[in-house]
Structure formats: structure tokens, C-alpha cells
Amino acid sequence: MVSLWGSKNGDGQNNDLDNANDEENSQQQSRQSRDADERTRLLPPRGEGYLDPDDPAVSPYNLFTVRAVRYVCVLFLIISFLWWVLLLVSIFVSPPMMHSRGSGFFDFSFTTLTVGNLLIGLLFFSIPSKAMEISSLVIAGLLLLDMIIVLAVQRLRSEEGWVGIASVIWATAMALYNVMSDRVVAWGKQEEEERLTGRKETRRTLREWCAVLTATVIMIVMIVITLFLTATLILRSRDASLKPPGERYYVDGDKYKLHLACVGDVTFDAHHKKNPTVLVEAGEYPFEDTMDDWIYGAYQNGTIGRYCYYDRPGFAWSDNAPSPHSAGMTSDALSEALAKAGEEGPWVLVSAGVGSIYSRIFSSRHVRDVHGLFLIDGLHEDLLHRIGSPRRGFLLWGRGIISPLGYDRLFGAIFKGRTREDRVYGRSAYQAGKFIKAKLQENLVANSLTKNEVSQARNIQTPNTPLVVVSSGIEVRRDKEWERKQEDLTKITDNLLSWDVVNRAPHQVWLTLEGRTILEKRLGELVQAK
């Protein structure tokens, strides 16, 4: 009995196990045969060793290579930022061995672009995208073209100097590094996803899509900026082919070149005494586009036999001088250029506007060689605060910072037919970075160094030097202080030949027929004065 019941119990238990196994197998087969739906697991269970794709542990930073690339990017950003600060300071004060004969705004722009490029790369480092990679490649290609232009064009190479060349090469290298780092992060992200989740992740979160969109928009803006820089460099290379009418001479220890030109031959009077040469100092804009017409007309009419003119540092064909730079420093540079050209006095100094400050300083430093002074609506030293105001300086600095984009010069060249002559010394010359830098330098020291120099010049000036003053009637009526200061300019020597106020003439008196007639007449009298 016992064995019989035991045998029956054993058989029952086995049957129960078989039935349970059959039921489980049938359930598994049912689950396997069921079509996949939204509840079907896309990844193996965690028990099999894979992580969820959204797990923070799934990161490209797990790889040392990715971390090393990021650390190097941070290092490059620090170096670029320090270089950016140094270039910013050099706009106002030139450090030793860092003066560039150009404006210095282009190297600052390239470095600003480099800092921005590296910063964007770091902010969106862990979210690589095809748009970011393509944008970085485009920027790198444009910067490579910029580098080739700067190195290939001799005039640009000399103006930018080693500082500008280093800046554009560094900008190109950093753009290429950004492309490489984006590829490395994309590779590291894929490697970690396959290792930790079992497959490459193709989806993005909303936050990641927003980051990609933001990075793409910023990179497009940077591409546009780089395009403008490239187009402006091409325009500068075109302008560099315009030859100066005179010669360019190294001055101030060969730091930069000054353009000087003379028209006419040296002549002598009946007593074999050398006739005076008219030395012209332009006003607010280059001589070639302002005073050249009436001076050359006086030469053609025989009123004067010979004249010389030069471009102040940053004007037309002259290079920019190191900062800070005062009117007295310009006068010394002119003296050096005249000596190298073999030009000697006696001089009749003709100047207009702010140029009168420069000619008065030059006269005080060459009292034996100056035959006469001719001031055309000249700026008085007590009004230097007008060109030395902080607001004007800030506006000039801001204008200089964006000048490498050259949007106004490009617009003029494409739609208004502006030529090389217009951009170098003509009606578009004020848009050039060199010109803006010269005006900024003038602004920075107008109320300090320059004012002290011209005040000293007034005390040194010999009282018997013949003097002619011609003033703008419009300016005199408009500004009573200007009228008082014009009258005071007639007293800088004791030998005033004449003071004319041309009724309807603007600040540039020679623009009217009456003004040009009076100017030529007075100039002839001054040259013939004993």
C-alpha cells in the first residue's frame, strides 16, 4: 500500500511539473510570436549588462582621448584670450616689437574670431553635429584663404607684420582644430553608446536639438563675418597695387614708412638765392583729395615754382605709427623723411584745419628754414578738446573694431563704383582702418602731448616770420569761439601780412571760386615776401 501510494504521489508531482513547464513554454512562444508594439523593449534588460541611453554614465567623456582634446581646447582658449588682451592694449599703447605698420584692427579681428570659435566649440563640445562640422570647415577654408592673401601680397604682409601673420595663422589652425575635435567627440560618443547601450543612439533630446540649433545659428553668423573679412582683404590687396606718386621713406628707427612727394624743380632768384618751396600740410583728410587741385593750379599758373606734400601716418600711402603718437612726433618723422629725400628749405608752410597744429610745431623746430606760415581756417590749440573728447575716442575705437568687416567699402565698390583711388586717398579713405587708427591716435593725445607741443611751439616761434591767415566765413558766423580763436591765430607772430575771412566759403575754403582766388593770391604774396 505504502509503495503504491508513494508511486502515485510521485507520478502526480511529475505530471504537475510537466504541465507547468508546458504552460510556461506556451506563454513564451505566445510572447515571441506576438508582433512588436510600443511596449516592446528596444534594449535588452538591465540584467544583461546594458545601460539606458539617457543614463548620465553614457558619455564620451569616459574616453581619455575625448577628455584630452577638451583640455587642449581650454588651453588654446586661454592662450587666445591672453593674445586678444595684448592686441587690445596695443591699439592704445604699442608694446616693444609688436607694432604693425597697418591699423592693428585686422589681427584683433582674427583673434576675436578665434576666441569665439573656441568658445563655441567648448560650449557645445559634447553635442557634435554635422552642421557644426560643416560650418567649422567653411570657416577654416575661408581663414586659410585669408592667410594665403596676407602672405602672398607684399604690401599686406608688411602692413600686418609678424603680429598679423601670426594671428591669421593661429585663427586658421584653431578652426581646423575645432573640426578635428568635433570628429573626435562624435567618434567617442558612438563608441560609448555601442559599449554601454548595445547600439548607436540616433535620437536627440529636445535640449540637444536646441543646442544644435543655437550652435548652427552662431556658426552661420561667424561664417558671414569671415566672408566679410575675406572680401575686405581681397579689396585691400587690390588697393595695394596703386603706386604712390612720390616715395615712401622709413622713419622713426625704420618702424614705419612715410609718403613724401615733390612737384617742380628747385629754382634760384637773381642773387642765386634758393627760392622757397611750399610744404603743404593737409587738414582732416588726405592732401590728394582736398588741397591738391588748388595747389597744383597755383603751380600751373606760375604762382609757386615748387611744392612738396606728405601723408601723415595712417593717411593714404603712409603707414600707421606706433601708439601713442602726437603731432610733434609726426613733425619729427616729416623732418626725417625730408632729410632722407635730400629736401632742404627755405619752406613756406601751408596748412589747413588741424594740419595747422602740425605745421606750427614743424615751424618751431625749423625756425631758420621757415620763410612763412599760411594758415587756412586753422585749428587753435585751445580747441583741441573738440578732437580729443572721450566720446569721440570711443566712437573711433568702435568704428575701428568693425572696420575689418569693410561692409561700407564693399558696398561702395560693388554698388557705387568706388575705385582704388577713392579708397586709398579719396572720398572713401575715411572708411579704412589705417585712417581710423590715425584719427584715434590723434584723439588720444590731443589734449595732452599735442597741446603741450603746440603751446611750446608758440613760445619758440620767431616773431618776424611772415604770416597769412584765411578763415571760413561760414565757420566764423556759425561759431563765435572759432571767430575769436581765428583772430588769436593772427598774433602767433608779429609779422601778419593779411587776414581774410572768405564770406561764403566752408571750412575747406578752396571749394569756392572766391576762396581759391584769395588763397592763390595770398600764397603768391607770401612766397615773394622778404
Side-chain angles (χ1 to χ4, degrees):
M1 291 291 293
V2 175
S3 61
L4 181 61
W5 282 108
S7 175
K8 286 182 179 181
N9 289 339
D11 292 341
Q13 289 179 357
N14 290 335
N15 291 334
D16 291 339
L17 289 173
D18 291 340
N19 292 336
N21 290 334
D22 291 341
E23 184 178 352
E24 184 177 351
N25 289 335
S26 65
Q27 289 176 357
Q28 287 181 357
Q29 291 175 1
S30 176
R31 285 197 299 268
Q32 291 173 0
S33 63
R34 188 170 59 201
D35 293 335
D37 56 18
E38 68 274 12
R39 299 180 183 278
T40 306
R41 291 183 63 87
L42 297 177
L43 298 173
R46 294 187 180 228
E48 296 183 18
Y50 291 111
L51 299 177
D52 189 277
D54 296 326
D55 195 307
V58 183
S59 170
Y61 290 121
N62 295 335
L63 298 177
F64 173 77
T65 303
V66 175
R67 295 198 305 273
V69 168
R70 189 173 188 275
Y71 294 149
V72 172
C73 190
V74 172
L75 176 63
F76 286 159
L77 178 60
I78 294 173
I79 295 173
S80 300
F81 179 73
L82 293 176
W83 182 248
W84 181 87
V85 172
L86 189 59
L87 292 179
L88 178 62
V89 172
S90 68
I91 293 175
F92 304 97
V93 180
S94 299
M97 305 298 293
M98 280 197 64
H99 165 63
S100 61
R101 289 157 55 186
S103 66
F105 292 126
F106 253 92
D107 34 339
F108 182 79
S109 295
F110 281 126
T111 306
T112 303
L113 189 67
T114 303
V115 171
N117 210 1
L118 291 172
L119 193 59
I120 295 302
L122 279 174
L123 288 175
F124 303 98
F125 188 81
S126 61
I127 312 174
S129 66
K130 207 68 179 175
M132 186 84 164
E133 181 182 344
I134 294 174
S135 300
S136 297
L137 273 173
V138 172
I139 291 176
L142 290 172
L143 287 173
L144 184 62
L145 178 60
D146 293 344
M147 182 180 71
I148 293 172
I149 293 173
V150 171
L151 293 175
V153 181
Q154 191 275 332
R155 182 69 181 275
L156 295 186
R157 192 168 62 247
S158 62
E159 285 185 356
E160 296 303 321
W162 76 267
V163 176
I165 294 173
S167 297
V168 69
I169 291 176
W170 181 256
T172 306
M174 292 302 98
L176 292 172
Y177 183 83
N178 251 13
V179 176
M180 184 272 293
S181 64
D182 192 77
R183 294 299 303 152
V184 169
V185 175
W187 164 81
K189 189 172 182 293
Q190 179 179 343
E191 286 288 314
E192 287 301 283
E193 287 170 351
E194 291 178 351
R195 183 175 70 88
L196 298 176
T197 68
R199 67 182 181 86
K200 178 184 176 182
E201 182 61 40
T202 57
R203 66 183 177 88
R204 291 185 188 272
T205 64
L206 178 60
R207 181 180 179 182
E208 289 176 331
W209 277 119
C210 290
V212 170
L213 177 62
T214 303
T216 304
V217 170
I218 295 174
M219 292 301 288
I220 290 174
V221 172
M222 293 180 69
I223 288 174
V224 173
I225 291 173
T226 313
L227 273 172
F228 274 108
L229 289 174
T230 304
T232 306
L233 271 179
I234 294 173
L235 210 59
R236 283 182 62 193
S237 64
R238 166 68 178 159
D239 297 343
S241 63
L242 186 64
K243 301 298 182 183
E247 296 293 333
R248 300 172 73 241
Y249 299 95
Y250 274 110
V251 294
D252 192 15
D254 294 345
K255 290 186 177 70
Y256 63 99
K257 283 186 174 183
L258 205 67
H259 172 236
L260 173 68
C262 292
V263 178
D265 298 323
V266 176
T267 58
F268 297 86
D269 60 15
H271 303 286
H272 303 287
K273 188 177 180 180
K274 187 178 179 182
N275 289 321
T277 298
V278 174
L279 182 59
V280 188
E281 180 78 55
E284 290 75 19
Y285 298 97
F287 165 85
E288 294 85 353
D289 191 52
T290 52
M291 303 175 69
D292 187 37
D293 285 345
W294 83 267
I295 288 288
Y296 185 72
Y299 168 74
Q300 290 287 83
N301 296 334
T303 305
I304 59 175
R306 189 168 189 267
Y307 70 94
C308 295
Y309 66 91
Y310 81 108
D311 296 317
R312 291 201 294 272
F315 281 33
W317 284 279
S318 290
D319 298 330
N320 283 106
S323 296
H325 190 79
S326 66
M329 296 176 185
T330 297
S331 297
D332 290 341
L334 173 60
S335 302
E336 187 176 354
L338 289 169
K340 288 189 173 182
E343 297 291 341
E344 298 177 348
W347 307 106
V348 170
L349 303 181
V350 178
S351 57
V354 68
S356 300
I357 297 291
Y358 294 83
S359 65
R360 288 173 57 191
I361 295 174
F362 181 88
S363 175
S364 69
R365 297 178 181 184
H366 301 81
V367 289
R368 295 181 179 179
D369 297 326
V370 174
H371 179 80
L373 276 172
F374 193 148
L375 308 182
I376 306 172
D377 210 36
L379 179 70
H380 194 279
E381 59 266 29
D382 291 343
L383 300 180
L384 278 170
H385 64 88
R386 295 186 178 183
I387 65 173
S389 67
R391 180 177 179 276
R392 183 172 182 267
F394 179 78
L395 291 176
L396 285 169
W397 175 79
R399 179 72 182 85
I401 292 299
I402 63 175
S403 65
L405 299 179
Y407 59 89
D408 44 5
R409 307 183 82 194
L410 293 169
F411 182 84
I414 297 172
F415 298 106
K416 294 184 178 180
R418 297 289 189 260
T419 62
R420 295 179 300 169
E421 291 78 6
D422 291 325
R423 293 187 295 272
V424 172
Y425 62 80
R427 50 187 168 177
S428 299
Y430 72 94
Q431 301 167 348
K434 286 172 51 182
F435 182 89
I436 297 170
K437 175 69 175 294
K439 288 296 182 181
L440 178 60
Q441 289 176 319
E442 189 177 73
N443 165 270
L444 292 173
V445 296
N447 257 336
S448 53
L449 295 178
T450 296
K451 188 169 184 178
N452 290 338
E453 289 165 348
V454 72
S455 297
Q456 293 170 359
R458 184 159 190 162
N459 295 326
I460 298 173
Q461 181 65 56
T462 53
N464 62 339
T465 304
L467 172 66
V468 171
V469 177
V470 177
S471 304
S472 160
I474 294 177
E475 293 295 324
V476 165
R477 289 192 302 271
R478 185 182 62 85
D479 188 344
K480 292 303 179 183
E481 186 179 14
W482 186 268
E483 180 183 13
R484 290 194 299 272
K485 298 306 178 182
Q486 288 294 299
E487 183 178 0
D488 186 65
L489 286 176
T490 64
K491 302 173 183 177
I492 60 175
T493 75
D494 297 335
N495 190 8
L496 177 66
L497 299 185
S498 63
W499 176 29
D500 297 282
V501 179
V502 186
N503 187 30
R504 298 180 180 178
H507 178 58
Q508 295 181 335
V509 179
W510 54 88
L511 294 180
T512 65
L513 179 60
E514 181 186 5
R516 181 175 294 202
T517 303
I518 291 177
L519 289 175
E520 186 171 340
K521 177 183 176 182
R522 298 307 184 198
L523 179 58
E525 294 173 353
L526 183 60
V527 171
Q528 298 299 325
K530 300 299 182 180

